[in-house]
Coordinates of all heavy atoms in Angstrom, one line a residue:
M5 N 73.3 118.8 94.3 CA 73.0 119.9 93.4 C 71.5 120.1 93.3 O 70.8 119.1 93.4 CB 73.6 119.6 92.0 CG 72.9 118.4 91.3 SD 73.3 118.3 89.6 CE 72.5 119.8 89.0
R6 N 71.1 121.3 93.2 CA 69.7 121.6 93.2 C 69.2 121.7 91.7 O 69.8 122.3 90.9 CB 69.3 122.9 93.9 CG 69.3 122.6 95.4 CD 68.9 123.9 96.1 NE 69.8 125.0 95.6 CZ 69.5 126.3 95.8 NH1 68.4 126.6 96.4 NH2 70.3 127.2 95.3
V7 N 68.0 121.1 91.5 CA 67.4 121.1 90.2 C 66.0 121.6 90.4 O 65.3 121.3 91.4 CB 67.3 119.7 89.6 CG1 66.6 119.7 88.2 CG2 68.7 119.1 89.5
R8 N 65.5 122.5 89.6 CA 64.1 123.0 89.7 C 63.2 122.5 88.6 O 63.6 122.5 87.4 CB 64.2 124.6 89.7 CG 62.9 125.2 90.1 CD 63.2 126.7 90.5 NE 63.6 127.4 89.3 CZ 63.0 128.5 88.9 NH1 62.0 129.1 89.5 NH2 63.5 129.1 87.8
F9 N 62.1 122.1 89.0 CA 61.1 121.7 88.0 C 59.9 122.6 88.2 O 59.5 123.0 89.3 CB 60.6 120.2 88.2 CG 61.7 119.3 87.9 CD1 62.6 118.8 88.9 CD2 61.9 118.8 86.6 CE1 63.6 117.9 88.6 CE2 62.9 117.9 86.3 CZ 63.8 117.4 87.3
I10 N 59.2 123.0 87.1 CA 58.0 123.8 87.2 C 56.9 123.0 86.4 O 57.1 122.7 85.2 CB 58.2 125.2 86.6 CG1 59.3 125.9 87.4 CG2 56.9 126.0 86.7 CD1 59.6 127.3 86.8
D11 N 55.8 122.7 87.1 CA 54.8 121.9 86.4 C 53.9 122.9 85.7 O 54.0 124.1 85.8 CB 54.0 121.0 87.4 CG 53.0 121.7 88.3 OD1 52.7 122.9 88.0 OD2 52.6 121.1 89.3
P12 N 52.9 122.4 84.8 CA 52.1 123.3 84.0 C 51.2 124.2 84.7 O 50.7 125.2 84.2 CB 51.3 122.3 83.1 CG 52.2 121.1 83.1 CD 52.8 121.0 84.5
T13 N 51.0 124.0 86.0 CA 50.2 124.9 86.8 C 51.1 126.1 87.4 O 50.6 127.0 88.0 CB 49.5 124.2 88.0 OG1 50.5 123.9 89.0 CG2 48.7 123.0 87.5
G14 N 52.4 126.0 87.2 CA 53.3 127.0 87.7 C 53.9 126.6 89.0 O 54.7 127.4 89.6
R15 N 53.5 125.5 89.6 CA 54.1 125.1 90.9 C 55.6 124.7 90.7 O 55.9 124.0 89.8 CB 53.3 123.9 91.4 CG 53.8 123.5 92.8 CD 52.8 122.5 93.4 NE 53.5 122.0 94.6 CZ 53.1 120.9 95.3 NH1 52.0 120.2 94.9 NH2 53.7 120.5 96.4
E16 N 56.4 125.1 91.6 CA 57.8 124.8 91.6 C 58.2 123.7 92.5 O 57.7 123.7 93.6 CB 58.6 126.1 91.9 CG 58.4 127.2 90.9 CD 59.4 128.3 91.1 OE1 60.4 128.1 91.8 OE2 59.2 129.4 90.5
Y17 N 59.2 123.0 92.1 CA 59.7 121.9 92.9 C 61.2 122.0 92.9 O 61.8 122.0 91.9 CB 59.3 120.5 92.4 CG 57.9 120.3 92.1 CD1 57.3 120.8 91.0 CD2 57.1 119.6 93.0 CE1 55.9 120.7 90.7 CE2 55.7 119.4 92.7 CZ 55.1 119.9 91.6 OH 53.8 119.7 91.4
L18 N 61.8 122.1 94.1 CA 63.3 122.1 94.2 C 63.7 120.7 94.6 O 63.2 120.2 95.7 CB 63.8 123.1 95.2 CG 64.1 124.5 94.8 CD1 64.6 125.3 95.9 CD2 65.1 124.5 93.6
V19 N 64.5 120.1 93.8 CA 64.8 118.7 94.0 C 66.3 118.5 94.1 O 67.1 119.2 93.4 CB 64.3 117.8 92.8 CG1 64.7 116.3 93.0 CG2 62.8 117.9 92.7
E20 N 66.8 117.7 95.0 CA 68.2 117.4 95.1 C 68.6 116.4 94.0 O 68.1 115.3 94.0 CB 68.6 116.9 96.5 CG 70.0 116.8 96.8 CD 70.7 118.2 96.8 OE1 70.0 119.2 97.2 OE2 71.8 118.3 96.5
G21 N 69.4 116.8 93.0 CA 69.8 116.0 92.0 C 71.1 115.3 92.2 O 72.0 115.9 92.9
E22 N 71.2 114.1 91.8 CA 72.5 113.3 91.9 C 73.3 113.5 90.7 O 72.9 113.1 89.6 CB 72.2 111.8 92.1 CG 71.5 111.5 93.4 CD 72.3 111.7 94.6 OE1 73.5 111.6 94.5 OE2 71.7 112.1 95.7
P23 N 74.5 114.0 90.8 CA 75.4 114.0 89.6 C 75.5 112.6 89.0 O 75.7 111.7 89.7 CB 76.7 114.5 90.1 CG 76.4 115.4 91.3 CD 75.2 114.6 91.9
G24 N 75.4 112.6 87.7 CA 75.4 111.3 87.0 C 74.1 110.7 86.7 O 74.0 109.8 85.8
E25 N 73.0 111.1 87.3 CA 71.7 110.6 87.0 C 71.1 111.5 85.9 O 71.5 112.7 85.8 CB 70.8 110.5 88.2 CG 70.2 111.8 88.7 CD 69.2 111.7 89.8 OE1 68.7 110.6 90.0 OE2 69.0 112.7 90.5
S26 N 70.1 111.0 85.2 CA 69.5 111.9 84.2 C 68.5 112.8 84.9 O 68.0 112.5 86.0 CB 68.8 111.0 83.1 OG 67.7 110.4 83.6
A27 N 68.2 113.9 84.2 CA 67.2 114.8 84.7 C 65.8 114.1 84.8 O 65.0 114.3 85.7 CB 67.1 116.0 83.9
M28 N 65.6 113.2 83.9 CA 64.3 112.4 83.9 C 64.2 111.5 85.2 O 63.2 111.5 85.8 CB 64.2 111.5 82.6 CG 63.0 110.6 82.6 SD 63.1 109.1 83.5 CE 64.1 108.1 82.4
R29 N 65.3 110.9 85.5 CA 65.3 110.0 86.7 C 65.1 110.9 88.0 O 64.4 110.5 88.9 CB 66.7 109.3 86.9 CG 66.8 108.1 86.0 CD 66.1 106.9 86.5 NE 66.3 105.8 85.6 CZ 65.3 105.1 85.1 NH1 64.0 105.2 85.6 NH2 65.5 104.1 84.3
C30 N 65.7 112.1 88.0 CA 65.5 113.0 89.1 C 64.1 113.4 89.2 O 63.5 113.4 90.3 CB 66.4 114.2 88.8 SG 66.4 115.4 90.1
A31 N 63.4 113.7 88.1 CA 62.0 114.1 88.1 C 61.1 113.0 88.5 O 60.2 113.2 89.3 CB 61.7 114.6 86.7
T32 N 61.3 111.8 88.0 CA 60.4 110.7 88.3 C 60.6 110.3 89.8 O 59.6 109.9 90.5 CB 60.6 109.5 87.4 OG1 62.0 109.0 87.4 CG2 60.2 109.8 86.0
R33 N 61.8 110.3 90.3 CA 62.1 110.0 91.7 C 61.3 111.0 92.6 O 60.8 110.6 93.6 CB 63.6 110.2 91.9 CG 64.1 109.7 93.3 CD 65.6 109.5 93.3 NE 66.4 110.5 92.6 CZ 66.6 111.7 93.1 NH1 66.1 112.0 94.3 NH2 67.4 112.6 92.5
A34 N 61.2 112.3 92.1 CA 60.5 113.3 92.9 C 59.0 113.4 92.5 O 58.3 114.2 93.0 CB 61.2 114.6 92.7
L35 N 58.6 112.5 91.7 CA 57.2 112.4 91.3 C 56.7 113.8 90.7 O 55.6 114.2 91.0 CB 56.3 112.0 92.4 CG 56.6 110.6 93.1 CD1 55.7 110.3 94.3 CD2 56.5 109.5 92.0
I36 N 57.5 114.4 89.8 CA 57.1 115.6 89.2 C 55.9 115.3 88.2 O 56.1 114.5 87.3 CB 58.3 116.3 88.4 CG1 59.5 116.4 89.4 CG2 57.8 117.6 87.8 CD1 59.2 117.3 90.5
P37 N 54.8 116.0 88.3 CA 53.7 115.7 87.4 C 54.0 116.0 86.0 O 54.6 117.0 85.7 CB 52.6 116.7 87.9 CG 53.0 117.0 89.3 CD 54.5 117.0 89.4
G38 N 53.7 115.0 85.1 CA 53.9 115.2 83.7 C 55.2 114.7 83.2 O 55.4 114.7 81.9
V39 N 56.1 114.3 84.0 CA 57.4 113.7 83.6 C 57.3 112.2 83.9 O 57.4 111.8 85.0 CB 58.6 114.3 84.2 CG1 59.9 113.6 83.7 CG2 58.7 115.8 84.0
L40 N 57.0 111.4 82.9 CA 56.7 110.0 83.1 C 57.9 109.1 82.9 O 58.1 108.1 83.6 CB 55.5 109.5 82.2 CG 54.2 110.3 82.5 CD1 53.1 109.8 81.6 CD2 53.8 110.2 83.9
G41 N 58.7 109.4 81.8 CA 59.8 108.5 81.5 C 59.5 107.1 81.2 O 60.1 106.2 81.7
E42 N 58.4 106.9 80.5 CA 57.9 105.6 80.3 C 58.9 104.5 79.7 O 58.8 103.4 79.9 CB 56.6 105.6 79.4 CG 55.4 106.1 80.1 CD 54.2 106.3 79.3 OE1 54.3 106.2 78.0 OE2 53.1 106.6 79.8
C43 N 59.8 105.0 78.8 CA 60.7 104.0 78.2 C 62.0 103.8 79.0 O 62.9 103.1 78.5 CB 61.0 104.5 76.7 SG 62.1 105.9 76.6
G44 N 62.1 104.5 80.1 CA 63.2 104.3 81.0 C 64.5 105.0 80.5 O 65.6 104.7 80.9
G45 N 64.3 105.9 79.5 CA 65.5 106.6 79.0 C 66.0 106.1 77.7 O 67.1 106.5 77.3
A46 N 65.2 105.2 77.0 CA 65.7 104.6 75.7 C 65.4 105.5 74.5 O 65.5 105.1 73.4 CB 65.1 103.3 75.6
M47 N 64.9 106.7 74.8 CA 64.6 107.7 73.7 C 63.5 107.1 72.8 O 63.5 107.3 71.6 CB 65.8 108.1 73.0 CG 66.0 109.6 73.0 SD 67.2 110.3 72.0 CE 68.5 109.2 71.8
A48 N 62.5 106.5 73.4 CA 61.4 105.9 72.6 C 60.0 106.4 72.9 O 59.1 105.9 72.3 CB 61.5 104.4 72.7
C49 N 59.9 107.3 73.9 CA 58.6 107.7 74.3 C 58.3 109.2 74.3 O 57.2 109.6 74.1 CB 58.3 107.1 75.7 SG 59.2 107.9 77.1
A50 N 59.3 110.0 74.6 CA 59.2 111.4 74.7 C 58.3 111.9 75.8 O 57.9 113.0 75.9 CB 58.7 112.0 73.4
T51 N 58.0 111.0 76.8 CA 57.2 111.4 78.0 C 58.0 112.1 79.0 O 57.6 112.4 80.1 CB 56.5 110.2 78.6 OG1 57.4 109.3 79.1 CG2 55.5 109.6 77.6
C52 N 59.3 112.5 78.6 CA 60.2 113.2 79.5 C 60.5 114.6 79.0 O 61.4 115.2 79.4 CB 61.5 112.4 79.7 SG 62.4 112.2 78.2
H53 N 59.7 115.0 78.0 CA 59.9 116.3 77.3 C 59.8 117.4 78.3 O 58.8 117.5 79.0 CB 58.9 116.4 76.2 CG 58.9 117.7 75.5 ND1 57.8 118.2 74.9 CD2 59.9 118.7 75.3 CE1 58.0 119.4 74.4 NE2 59.3 119.7 74.6
C54 N 60.7 118.3 78.3 CA 60.6 119.6 79.1 C 61.3 120.7 78.4 O 62.1 120.5 77.5 CB 61.3 119.4 80.5 SG 60.5 118.4 81.7
Y55 N 61.0 121.9 78.8 CA 61.8 123.1 78.3 C 62.9 123.3 79.3 O 62.7 123.4 80.5 CB 60.8 124.3 78.2 CG 59.6 124.0 77.5 CD1 58.3 124.2 78.0 CD2 59.7 123.6 76.2 CE1 57.2 123.9 77.3 CE2 58.5 123.3 75.4 CZ 57.3 123.5 76.0 OH 56.1 123.2 75.3
V56 N 64.1 123.5 78.8 CA 65.3 123.7 79.7 C 65.7 125.1 79.8 O 65.8 125.8 78.8 CB 66.4 122.8 79.1 CG1 67.7 123.0 80.0 CG2 66.0 121.4 79.0
E57 N 65.9 125.6 81.0 CA 66.3 126.9 81.3 C 67.6 126.9 82.2 O 67.5 126.7 83.4 CB 65.2 127.8 82.0 CG 64.0 127.9 81.1 CD 62.8 128.6 81.8 OE1 63.0 129.0 83.0 OE2 61.8 128.7 81.2
P58 N 68.8 126.9 81.6 CA 70.0 126.8 82.3 C 70.1 128.0 83.3 O 69.7 129.1 83.0 CB 71.1 126.8 81.3 CG 70.4 126.4 80.0 CD 69.0 127.0 80.1
A59 N 70.7 127.7 84.4 CA 71.0 128.8 85.4 C 72.5 129.3 85.2 O 72.8 130.4 85.4 CB 70.9 128.3 86.8
G60 N 73.3 128.4 84.8 CA 74.7 128.7 84.5 C 75.1 128.0 83.2 O 74.7 128.4 82.2
A61 N 75.9 127.0 83.4 CA 76.4 126.2 82.2 C 75.1 125.6 81.6 O 74.2 125.1 82.3 CB 77.4 125.2 82.6
A62 N 75.1 125.5 80.3 CA 74.1 124.8 79.6 C 74.5 123.3 79.4 O 75.7 123.0 79.3 CB 73.8 125.4 78.2
P63 N 73.5 122.4 79.4 CA 73.8 121.0 79.1 C 74.4 120.9 77.7 O 74.1 121.7 76.8 CB 72.5 120.3 79.3 CG 71.5 121.3 79.2 CD 72.1 122.6 79.6
P64 N 75.1 119.8 77.4 CA 75.6 119.6 76.0 C 74.4 119.6 75.0 O 73.3 119.2 75.4 CB 76.2 118.2 76.1 CG 76.6 118.1 77.5 CD 75.6 118.8 78.3
P65 N 74.6 120.1 73.8 CA 73.4 120.1 72.9 C 72.9 118.7 72.5 O 73.6 117.7 72.7 CB 74.0 120.8 71.7 CG 75.5 120.6 71.8 CD 75.8 120.5 73.2
P66 N 71.7 118.6 72.1 CA 71.1 117.3 71.8 C 71.8 116.7 70.5 O 72.2 117.4 69.6 CB 69.6 117.6 71.5 CG 69.6 119.1 71.1 CD 70.7 119.7 71.8
R67 N 71.8 115.4 70.6 CA 72.3 114.6 69.4 C 71.2 114.6 68.3 O 70.0 114.9 68.6 CB 72.7 113.2 69.7 CG 73.8 113.1 70.7 CD 74.2 111.6 70.9 NE 73.1 110.7 70.8 CZ 72.9 109.6 71.6 NH1 73.7 109.4 72.5 NH2 71.8 108.8 71.4
A68 N 71.5 114.2 67.1 CA 70.5 114.2 66.0 C 69.3 113.3 66.4 O 68.2 113.7 66.0 CB 71.2 113.8 64.8
D69 N 69.5 112.2 67.0 CA 68.4 111.3 67.3 C 67.5 111.9 68.3 O 66.3 111.7 68.2 CB 68.9 109.9 67.7 CG 69.9 109.8 68.7 OD1 70.4 110.9 69.1 OD2 70.3 108.7 69.1
E70 N 68.0 112.6 69.3 CA 67.2 113.3 70.2 C 66.4 114.4 69.5 O 65.2 114.6 69.8 CB 68.0 113.9 71.4 CG 67.1 114.6 72.4 CD 67.8 115.4 73.5 OE1 69.0 115.1 73.7 OE2 67.2 116.2 74.1
Q71 N 67.0 115.2 68.7 CA 66.4 116.3 68.0 C 65.2 115.7 67.2 O 64.1 116.3 67.1 CB 67.3 117.0 67.1 CG 68.3 117.9 67.8 CD 69.2 118.6 66.8 OE1 69.7 118.0 65.9 NE2 69.6 119.8 67.1
E72 N 65.4 114.6 66.5 CA 64.4 114.0 65.7 C 63.2 113.6 66.6 O 62.0 113.8 66.2 CB 64.9 112.8 65.0 CG 64.0 112.2 63.9 CD 64.6 111.0 63.2 OE1 65.8 110.9 63.1 OE2 63.8 110.1 62.8
M73 N 63.5 113.0 67.7 CA 62.4 112.5 68.6 C 61.6 113.7 69.2 O 60.4 113.7 69.2 CB 63.0 111.7 69.8 CG 62.0 111.0 70.6 SD 61.4 109.5 69.7 CE 60.1 109.0 70.9
V74 N 62.4 114.8 69.6 CA 61.7 116.0 70.1 C 60.8 116.6 69.1 O 59.8 117.2 69.4 CB 62.8 116.9 70.7 CG1 62.2 118.3 70.9 CG2 63.3 116.4 72.0
S75 N 61.2 116.6 67.9 CA 60.5 117.3 66.8 C 59.1 116.7 66.7 O 58.2 117.4 66.2 CB 61.2 117.2 65.5 OG 61.2 115.9 65.0
G76 N 58.8 115.5 67.2 CA 57.5 114.9 67.1 C 56.7 115.2 68.3 O 55.5 114.8 68.4
C77 N 57.2 115.9 69.3 CA 56.4 116.2 70.5 C 55.4 117.3 70.2 O 55.6 118.1 69.3 CB 57.4 116.7 71.6 SG 58.5 115.5 72.3
L78 N 54.4 117.4 71.1 CA 53.5 118.6 71.1 C 54.2 119.8 71.7 O 55.1 119.6 72.6 CB 52.2 118.3 71.9 CG 51.4 117.1 71.3 CD1 50.3 116.8 72.3 CD2 50.8 117.4 70.0
E79 N 53.8 121.0 71.3 CA 54.3 122.2 71.9 C 55.8 122.3 71.9 O 56.4 122.6 73.0 CB 53.8 122.3 73.4 CG 52.3 122.4 73.5 CD 51.8 122.6 74.9 OE1 51.7 123.8 75.3 OE2 51.6 121.6 75.6
V80 N 56.5 122.0 70.8 CA 57.9 122.1 70.8 C 58.4 123.5 70.8 O 57.8 124.4 70.1 CB 58.4 121.3 69.5 CG1 60.0 121.5 69.4 CG2 58.1 119.9 69.5
R81 N 59.4 123.8 71.5 CA 60.0 125.1 71.6 C 61.5 125.0 71.3 O 62.0 123.9 71.4 CB 59.8 125.8 72.9 CG 58.3 126.0 73.3 CD 58.2 126.7 74.6 NE 56.8 126.8 75.0 CZ 56.4 127.2 76.2 NH1 57.3 127.5 77.2 NH2 55.1 127.2 76.5
P82 N 62.2 126.1 71.1 CA 63.6 126.0 70.8 C 64.4 125.3 72.0 O 65.5 124.7 71.7 CB 64.1 127.5 70.6 CG 62.8 128.1 70.2 CD 61.7 127.5 70.9
N83 N 63.9 125.5 73.2 CA 64.6 124.9 74.3 C 64.0 123.5 74.8 O 64.2 123.1 75.9 CB 64.7 125.9 75.5 CG 63.3 126.3 76.0 OD1 62.3 126.1 75.4 ND2 63.3 126.8 77.2
S84 N 63.3 122.9 73.9 CA 62.7 121.6 74.2 C 63.9 120.5 74.2 O 64.7 120.5 73.3 CB 61.7 121.1 73.1 OG 60.5 121.8 73.2
R85 N 63.8 119.7 75.3 CA 64.8 118.6 75.3 C 64.1 117.4 75.9 O 63.0 117.5 76.6 CB 65.9 118.9 76.3 CG 66.8 120.0 75.8 CD 67.7 119.7 74.6 NE 68.5 118.5 74.8 CZ 69.8 118.5 75.2 NH1 70.4 119.6 75.5 NH2 70.4 117.3 75.4
L86 N 64.7 116.2 75.7 CA 64.3 115.0 76.4 C 65.1 114.9 77.6 O 66.4 114.8 77.5 CB 64.5 113.7 75.5 CG 63.7 113.7 74.2 CD1 64.1 112.4 73.4 CD2 62.2 113.7 74.4
T87 N 64.5 115.0 78.8 CA 65.3 115.1 80.0 C 66.0 113.8 80.3 O 67.0 113.8 81.1 CB 64.4 115.5 81.2 OG1 63.3 114.6 81.3 CG2 63.9 116.9 81.0
C88 N 65.7 112.7 79.7 CA 66.4 111.4 79.9 C 67.8 111.5 79.2 O 68.7 110.7 79.5 CB 65.7 110.2 79.4 SG 65.4 110.2 77.6
Q89 N 68.0 112.5 78.4 CA 69.3 112.6 77.7 C 70.2 113.7 78.3 O 71.2 114.0 77.8 CB 69.1 113.0 76.2 CG 68.3 111.9 75.5 CD 68.9 110.5 75.6 OE1 70.1 110.4 75.2 NE2 68.2 109.5 76.1
I90 N 69.7 114.3 79.4 CA 70.5 115.3 80.1 C 71.0 114.7 81.4 O 70.2 114.4 82.3 CB 69.6 116.6 80.4 CG1 69.2 117.2 79.0 CG2 70.4 117.6 81.2 CD1 68.3 118.4 79.1
I91 N 72.3 114.6 81.5 CA 72.9 114.0 82.7 C 73.3 115.1 83.6 O 74.0 116.1 83.2 CB 74.2 113.2 82.3 CG1 73.8 112.1 81.3 CG2 74.8 112.6 83.5 CD1 72.7 111.1 81.7
L92 N 72.9 115.0 84.8 CA 73.1 116.1 85.8 C 74.6 116.1 86.2 O 75.2 115.1 86.3 CB 72.2 115.9 87.0 CG 70.7 115.9 86.8 CD1 70.0 115.7 88.1 CD2 70.3 117.3 86.1
S93 N 75.1 117.3 86.4 CA 76.5 117.5 86.9 C 76.5 118.8 87.7 O 75.6 119.6 87.6 CB 77.4 117.6 85.7 OG 77.1 118.7 84.9
A94 N 77.5 119.0 88.5 CA 77.6 120.1 89.3 C 77.5 121.4 88.5 O 77.0 122.4 89.0 CB 78.9 120.1 90.1
E95 N 78.0 121.4 87.3 CA 78.0 122.7 86.5 C 76.6 123.1 86.1 O 76.3 124.2 85.8 CB 78.8 122.5 85.2 CG 80.2 122.1 85.3 CD 80.5 120.7 85.7 OE1 79.9 119.8 85.1 OE2 81.2 120.5 86.7
L96 N 75.6 122.2 86.2 CA 74.2 122.5 85.9 C 73.4 123.0 87.1 O 72.2 123.1 87.0 CB 73.6 121.3 85.2 CG 74.2 120.8 84.0 CD1 73.4 119.6 83.4 CD2 74.3 121.9 82.9
E97 N 74.1 123.2 88.2 CA 73.4 123.7 89.4 C 72.4 124.7 89.1 O 72.7 125.7 88.4 CB 74.5 124.2 90.4 CG 73.9 125.0 91.6 CD 73.3 124.0 92.7 OE1 73.8 122.9 92.7 OE2 72.4 124.4 93.4
G98 N 71.2 124.5 89.6 CA 70.1 125.5 89.5 C 69.4 125.4 88.2 O 68.5 126.3 87.9
I99 N 69.7 124.5 87.4 CA 69.0 124.4 86.1 C 67.5 124.1 86.3 O 67.1 123.5 87.3 CB 69.6 123.2 85.2 CG1 69.1 123.2 83.8 CG2 69.3 121.8 85.9 CD1 69.8 122.3 82.9
T100 N 66.7 124.7 85.4 CA 65.2 124.6 85.5 C 64.6 123.8 84.4 O 65.0 124.0 83.2 CB 64.6 126.0 85.6 OG1 65.0 126.7 86.7 CG2 63.0 125.9 85.6
F101 N 63.7 122.9 84.7 CA 63.0 122.2 83.7 C 61.5 122.5 83.8 O 60.9 122.3 84.9 CB 63.2 120.7 83.8 CG 64.6 120.3 83.7 CD1 65.4 120.1 84.8 CD2 65.2 120.0 82.4 CE1 66.8 119.7 84.6 CE2 66.5 119.6 82.3 CZ 67.3 119.5 83.4
V102 N 60.9 123.0 82.7 CA 59.5 123.4 82.7 C 58.7 122.3 82.0 O 59.0 122.0 80.8 CB 59.3 124.7 82.1 CG1 57.8 125.1 82.1 CG2 60.1 125.8 82.8
V103 N 57.7 121.7 82.6 CA 56.9 120.6 82.0 C 55.9 121.2 81.1 O 55.1 122.1 81.5 CB 56.2 119.8 83.1 CG1 55.5 118.6 82.4 CG2 57.3 119.3 84.1
P104 N 55.8 120.8 79.8 CA 54.8 121.3 78.9 C 53.4 121.0 79.3 O 53.2 119.9 79.9 CB 55.1 120.6 77.6 CG 56.6 120.1 77.7 CD 56.8 119.9 79.2
S105 N 52.5 121.9 79.1 CA 51.1 121.7 79.6 C 50.5 120.5 78.9 O 49.5 119.9 79.4 CB 50.3 123.0 79.4 OG 50.3 123.3 78.0
S106 N 51.0 120.1 77.7 CA 50.4 119.0 77.0 C 50.6 117.7 77.7 O 50.1 116.6 77.3 CB 50.9 118.9 75.6 OG 52.3 118.8 75.6
Q107 N 51.5 117.6 78.7 CA 51.9 116.4 79.3 C 51.2 116.1 80.6 O 51.5 115.1 81.3 CB 53.4 116.3 79.5 CG 54.2 116.1 78.2 CD 55.6 116.2 78.3 OE1 56.3 116.7 77.4 NE2 56.2 115.8 79.4
V108 N 50.2 116.9 81.0 CA 49.5 116.6 82.2 C 48.1 116.3 81.9 O 47.5 116.9 81.0 CB 49.7 117.8 83.2 CG1 48.9 117.5 84.5 CG2 51.1 117.9 83.6
Ligands
LIG207 FE1 61.4 107.9 77.0 FE2 63.0 110.1 77.6 S1 62.2 108.6 79.0 S2 62.3 109.4 75.7

């Protein structure tokens, strides 16, 4: 499945995502600038914050603990998510993650 990342300069990256992996893992594997995933997905760092733009199906909504963590990020928007909490699946084909400019 294809996943698109856009870095703060507007550069686009098309990455082959593995169903079952998190969007953060997909991004760090592809060395997307600004997606660090420092805590490994334990929801303790927020260095995986991105804005999510679904192409088709939307990922399941965030749990309360993710919402709380995201609320502490810089440049929060309504579509802010922690990408470590979004598990890729075929239904999410074409989903786009935009890296906030505060993370580079
Ligand atoms: Fe640390 Fe997502 S990788 S909160």
Side-chain angles (χ1 to χ4, degrees):
M5 64 167 295
R6 280 180 312 160
V7 180
R8 192 162 63 126
F9 293 92
I10 301 177
D11 76 17
T13 71
R15 183 170 172 195
E16 294 190 18
Y17 306 79
L18 269 182
V19 179
E20 194 61 33
E22 295 292 330
E25 76 175 343
S26 71
M28 178 276 284
R29 284 278 178 231
C30 182
T32 55
R33 189 164 43 75
L35 303 177
I36 304 299
V39 181
L40 301 180
E42 283 177 354
C43 75
M47 238 190 325
C49 71
T51 61
C52 64
H53 173 209
C54 285
Y55 308 121
V56 180
E57 299 175 0
R67 298 187 325 223
D69 47 358
E70 181 189 342
Q71 285 178 323
E72 190 181 330
M73 192 73 186
V74 163
S75 69
C77 293
L78 297 173
E79 298 184 89
V80 176
R81 296 182 187 170
N83 60 343
S84 286
R85 294 291 304 267
L86 297 179
T87 55
C88 67
Q89 300 303 304
I90 296 177
I91 303 303
L92 299 179
S93 63
E95 298 76 51
L96 299 181
E97 170 74 30
I99 191 168
T100 296
F101 298 95
V102 179
V103 182
S105 58
S106 57
Q107 284 172 220
V108 175

